[in-house]
């Protein structure tokens, strides 16, 4: 189990009474179990969906879904506020059920109102975008409008569940996510089966099934919260001061979220305008691979994030610094061990996974995975920034950086550059965001930058080039054999793990790992006897 002392070093179970880090480790295991199931189902269903829909229809769904997701700029900001205020409240020493209920009830009302506004905006602008701007194959306009309607409905359903999901995260009940994932995985498998056997327009059926799955899963989350959390009982008591603080916080978060969505989903639209639906299909596949890989580290971050916020609320800044630094470093290493085998054998992986591989898919996958590696360095720091609450200056600076990213992508594509340039620019601008985030973290909550560079960036800088060089010089990269792919992947994982252990970990961390393995081995031997 993972424990940290105030200096950020791992220490043994016997030398600490802290339950916080024990909870992080336990919740990470629950989330990993959930993700293994989700990933397996997701990869299998993507293969079926791509085969049944075809490259063009699959690309259409990704573009329409991306357009609807752009309106997350209106809901995402409030979502951040809800999670932050609930988690912060639970970290206070004078925890109040009444205040929690007020925060939750205010959140529900806000999300309902925001959902209605967003639905109206999508209705006004969505039809115009699909009809006049989107590049579509002949005869697919009506179906695309149908997809727009159901994508909007799915969006609205997911929006209403945000306060309930925030409660689960704030209470650190990650086992709920694991169990409900079983239901969601089964529904996705059923959807894939229906695409094969039901003789209707596959794209229409796919969009409709997504709505049913969203409705079912979100209903389960709401039922779980009602059963387990007293503060999920809605009350008509509103704190105007609280609402003002939440709206002020979410207003600045809205600015940052807006440019992030503009950059992410706007890039998807640019790819459609300059490359067509087939390029969007390649981007959609790359996004699926990235989501599967990044989910392992995001689960680790999700388990650590509530502790970052709660430690800030209780004034335990040294512990917060330690969690941020260690979760950043080990989050990067976790993702690196997953990413390197994928990138080094990407052509073989895609050929074995998909029946037909759209052009640009291999390049898109590798670039988006590198982008995620850089993103690992920001996630815990961002949580710390959100926890302290004063985000105005950071969000303004963020808006300038991401706006520049989107504009640069448009200008490069318009000048005739290859579509891969979008992903390269995303990586470069994400590095600029990291520098800006570090500067603001030092200014707002005295984050120790030099310690972060010494204990996190320096080990990463030593591990990354050595492991990457080995992965790409290993023979058999383009061998189509499944057996060769498995052997190469295992060799890369073992080698990278050894480099992480020898170069990326401190002496105390290595001693902790050895002690943990020794303890598990002795326990296993006793059980056999």
């Amino acid at each position: 189990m993972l424990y940290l002392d105030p200096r950020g070093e791992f220490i043994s179970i016997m030398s600490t009474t802290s339950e916080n880090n024990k909870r992080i480790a336990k919740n990470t295991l629950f989330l990993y179990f959930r993700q293994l199931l989700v990933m397996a189902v997701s990869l299998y269903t993507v293969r079926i969906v791509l085969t049944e829909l075809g490259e063009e229809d699959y690309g259409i769904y990704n573009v329409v879904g991306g357009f609807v997701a752009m309106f997350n700029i209106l809901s995402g900001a409030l979502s951040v506020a809800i999670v932050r205020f609930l988690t912060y409240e639970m970290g206070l020493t004078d925890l109040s059920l009444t205040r929690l209920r007020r925060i939750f009830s205010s959140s529900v009302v806000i999300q309902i109102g925001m959902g209605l506004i967003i639905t109206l905006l999508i209705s006004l602008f969505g039809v115009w975008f699909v009809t006049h701007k989107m590049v579509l194959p002949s005869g697919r306009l009506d179906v695309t409008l149908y997809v727009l309607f159901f994508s909007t409905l799915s969006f609205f359903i997911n929006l209403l569940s945000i306060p309930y999901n925030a409660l689960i995260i704030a209470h650190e009940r990650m086992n709920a996510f694991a169990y409900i994932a079983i239901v969601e995985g089964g529904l996705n498998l059923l959807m894939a089966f229906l695409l094969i056997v039901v003789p209707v327009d596959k794209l229409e059926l796919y969009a409709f099934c997504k709505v049913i799955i969203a409705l079912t899963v979100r209903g389960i989350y709401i039922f779980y919260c009602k059963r387990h959390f007293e503060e999920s009982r809605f009350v008509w008591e509103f704190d105007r001061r609280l609402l003002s603080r939440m709206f002020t916080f979410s207003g600045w978060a809205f600015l940052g979220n807006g440019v992030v969505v503009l950059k992410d989903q706007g890039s998807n639209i640019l790819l459609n305008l300059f490359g067509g639906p087939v390029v969007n299909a390649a981007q959609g596949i790359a996004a699926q691979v990235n989501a599967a890989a990044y989910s392992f580290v995001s689960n680790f971050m999700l388990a650590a994030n509530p502790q970052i916020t709660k430690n800030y609320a209780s004034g335990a800044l040294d512990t917060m610094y330690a969690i941020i630094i260690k979760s950043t470093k080990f989050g990067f290493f976790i993702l690196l061990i997953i990413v390197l085998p994928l990138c080094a054998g990407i052509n073989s992986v895609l050929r074995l996974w998909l029946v037909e591989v759209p052009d640009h898919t291999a390049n898109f996958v590798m670039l988006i995975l590198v982008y995620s590696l850089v993103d690992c360095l920001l996630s815990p720091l961002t949580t710390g920034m959100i926890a302290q609450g004063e985000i105005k200056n950071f969000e303004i600076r963020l808006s300038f950086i991401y706006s520049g990213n989107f504009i640069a992508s448009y200008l490069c594509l318009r000048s005739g550059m290859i579509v891969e340039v979008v992903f390269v620019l995303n990586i470069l601008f994400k590095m600029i965001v990291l520098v800006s985030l570090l500067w603001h973290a030092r200014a707002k909550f005295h984050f120790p930058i030099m310690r972060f560079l010494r204990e996190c960036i320096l080990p990463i800088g030593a591990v990354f080039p050595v492991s990457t060089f080995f992965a790409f010089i290993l023979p058999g990269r383009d061998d189509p054999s499944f057996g060769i792919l498995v052997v190469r992947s295992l060799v890369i994982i073992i080698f990278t793990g050894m480099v992480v252990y020898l170069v990326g970990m401190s002496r105390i961390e290595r001693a902790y790992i050895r002690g943990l393995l020794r303890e598990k081995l002795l326990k296993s031997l006793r059980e056999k006897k």
Side-chain angles (χ1 to χ4, degrees):
M1 295 182 187
L2 207 59
Y3 287 86
L4 299 164
D5 72 2
R7 299 186 308 276
E9 299 293 357
F10 288 114
I11 54 179
S12 67
I13 292 175
M14 298 303 294
S15 63
T16 182
T17 59
S18 172
E19 288 296 318
N20 292 338
N21 297 293
K22 178 180 179 180
R23 191 179 300 115
I24 292 175
K26 180 180 178 181
N27 286 332
T28 301
L29 291 176
F30 275 122
L31 290 168
Y32 279 162
F33 168 75
R34 168 184 181 261
Q35 194 52 46
L36 284 172
L37 177 63
V38 171
M39 184 182 68
V41 173
S42 176
L43 294 177
Y44 179 69
T45 53
V46 166
R47 174 188 173 97
I48 296 176
V49 169
L50 180 60
T51 302
E52 294 300 318
L53 295 184
E55 292 181 5
E56 289 188 340
D57 277 1
Y58 188 76
I60 288 171
Y61 186 85
N62 275 281
V63 176
V64 173
F67 175 82
V68 174
M70 288 183 69
F71 289 85
N72 275 318
I73 60 175
L74 299 175
S75 65
L78 285 172
S79 303
V80 171
I82 292 168
V83 174
R84 187 265 176 188
F85 277 84
L86 282 172
T87 308
Y88 186 92
E89 185 68 31
M90 291 180 186
L92 297 176
T93 54
D94 58 336
L95 178 63
S96 169
L97 178 61
T98 301
R99 289 201 304 267
L100 281 175
R101 280 182 174 171
R102 286 176 179 173
I103 294 173
F104 174 80
S105 300
S106 300
S107 302
V108 171
V109 172
I110 290 171
Q111 290 298 82
I112 291 174
M114 188 61 65
L116 295 174
I117 293 173
I118 292 174
T119 300
L120 177 62
L121 290 174
I122 295 176
S123 300
L124 291 174
F125 295 105
V127 175
W128 169 82
F129 168 74
V130 170
T131 306
H132 295 92
K133 293 298 181 181
M134 192 170 171
V135 179
L136 294 171
S138 177
R140 300 302 284 171
L141 176 59
D142 290 342
V143 175
T144 304
L145 291 172
Y146 180 93
V147 171
L148 175 66
F149 170 76
F150 278 109
S151 296
T152 305
L153 187 57
S154 296
F155 176 86
F156 183 77
I157 294 169
N158 291 331
L159 185 66
L160 297 183
S161 70
I162 287 173
Y164 298 92
N165 287 15
L167 276 180
I168 295 175
I169 294 171
H171 280 279
E172 302 181 63
R173 296 286 188 90
M174 305 311 175
N175 58 328
F177 289 118
Y179 298 142
I180 296 173
I182 298 175
V183 177
E184 188 172 5
L187 292 174
N188 278 298
L189 283 174
L190 178 60
M191 177 191 67
F193 176 73
L194 290 176
L195 288 177
I196 297 174
V197 300
V198 177
V200 297
D201 188 288
K202 305 295 184 181
L203 186 54
E204 292 182 357
L205 179 61
Y206 183 66
F208 176 76
C209 287
K210 284 291 186 180
V211 173
I212 300 302
I213 292 173
L215 188 62
T216 304
V217 172
R218 302 310 157 187
I220 295 173
Y221 277 122
I222 292 172
F223 175 79
Y224 178 88
C225 290
K226 293 288 187 183
R227 187 180 180 90
H228 291 88
F229 307 137
E230 291 185 50
E231 63 269 26
S232 65
R233 308 295 191 271
F234 185 84
V235 293
W236 287 101
E237 296 180 17
F238 301 103
D239 186 333
R240 292 183 178 179
R241 189 175 177 183
L242 171 64
L243 284 174
S244 176
R245 289 169 56 208
M246 291 183 69
F247 271 113
T248 300
F249 183 92
S250 60
W252 291 114
F254 167 80
L255 179 64
N257 282 9
V259 291
V260 170
V261 172
L262 173 65
K263 187 266 297 181
D264 290 339
Q265 304 302 334
S267 296
N268 199 14
I269 294 173
L270 288 178
L271 291 174
N272 175 260
L273 296 177
F274 290 94
V278 174
V279 172
N280 288 119
Q283 189 274 339
I285 294 168
Q288 290 282 347
V289 175
N290 179 67
Y294 193 76
S295 59
F296 284 93
V297 67
S298 66
N299 287 332
F300 177 68
M301 301 296 187
L302 185 60
N305 285 346
Q307 286 301 315
I308 294 174
T309 302
K310 290 176 181 178
N311 276 290
Y312 180 85
S314 64
L317 294 184
D318 284 341
T319 303
M320 184 186 74
Y321 299 153
I323 295 175
I324 289 175
I325 292 172
K326 292 302 179 183
S327 59
T328 300
K329 183 173 78 169
F330 284 94
F332 185 95
F333 288 153
I334 290 169
L335 186 58
L336 182 66
I337 290 173
I338 298 168
V339 162
L340 281 182
L342 277 173
C343 289
I346 188 61
N347 292 321
S348 299
V349 171
L350 292 174
R351 282 196 298 264
L352 289 169
W353 176 33
L354 304 173
V355 177
E356 293 185 12
V357 181
D359 294 338
H360 304 284
T361 302
N363 291 338
F364 284 6
V365 170
M366 288 192 290
L367 288 169
I368 201 171
L369 288 174
V370 173
Y371 175 85
S372 290
L373 282 171
V374 178
D375 191 58
C376 278
L377 305 177
L378 282 80
S379 182
L381 265 173
T382 302
T383 302
M385 180 65 68
I386 291 171
Q388 61 84 36
E390 298 179 13
I391 60 174
K392 174 183 174 181
N393 293 334
F394 174 67
E395 296 294 353
I396 291 174
R397 188 178 294 266
L398 198 68
S399 67
F400 280 108
I401 296 172
Y402 280 132
S403 295
N405 188 355
F406 178 76
I407 293 170
S409 298
Y410 171 74
L411 293 176
C412 287
L413 289 175
R414 187 177 180 182
S415 67
M417 292 187 182
I418 59 175
V419 290
E420 281 82 357
V421 71
V422 172
F423 297 92
V424 174
L425 288 171
N426 288 347
I427 295 169
L428 295 177
F429 277 88
K430 180 63 77 172
M431 292 179 179
I432 298 174
V433 172
L434 174 61
V435 174
S436 177
L437 180 58
L438 282 169
W439 186 86
H440 278 88
R442 182 178 64 180
K444 293 300 181 182
F445 55 92
H446 309 292
F447 184 74
I449 294 180
M450 293 308 298
R451 177 180 167 187
F452 178 78
L453 295 176
R454 182 178 63 254
E455 298 181 12
C456 180
I457 300 300
L458 187 61
I460 287 173
V463 170
F464 180 75
V466 174
S467 302
T468 303
F469 178 75
F470 176 82
F472 279 86
I473 66 168
L474 200 65
R477 281 184 59 194
D478 295 320
D479 194 306
S481 169
F482 177 74
I484 295 296
L485 176 64
V486 171
V487 171
R488 288 187 77 257
S489 298
L490 289 175
V491 171
I492 293 171
I493 290 172
I494 292 171
F495 180 84
T496 305
M498 290 175 59
V499 175
V500 168
Y501 176 79
L502 295 173
V503 180
M505 293 185 184
S506 68
R507 178 179 55 82
I508 296 177
E509 291 165 354
R510 289 195 295 271
Y512 171 79
I513 295 296
R514 290 195 300 270
L516 182 63
L517 293 175
R518 190 181 303 113
E519 179 185 341
K520 297 294 183 182
L521 179 61
L522 290 174
K523 183 178 179 181
S524 177
L525 291 174
R526 291 193 203 101
E527 290 176 351
K528 288 182 179 180
K529 292 180 180 180

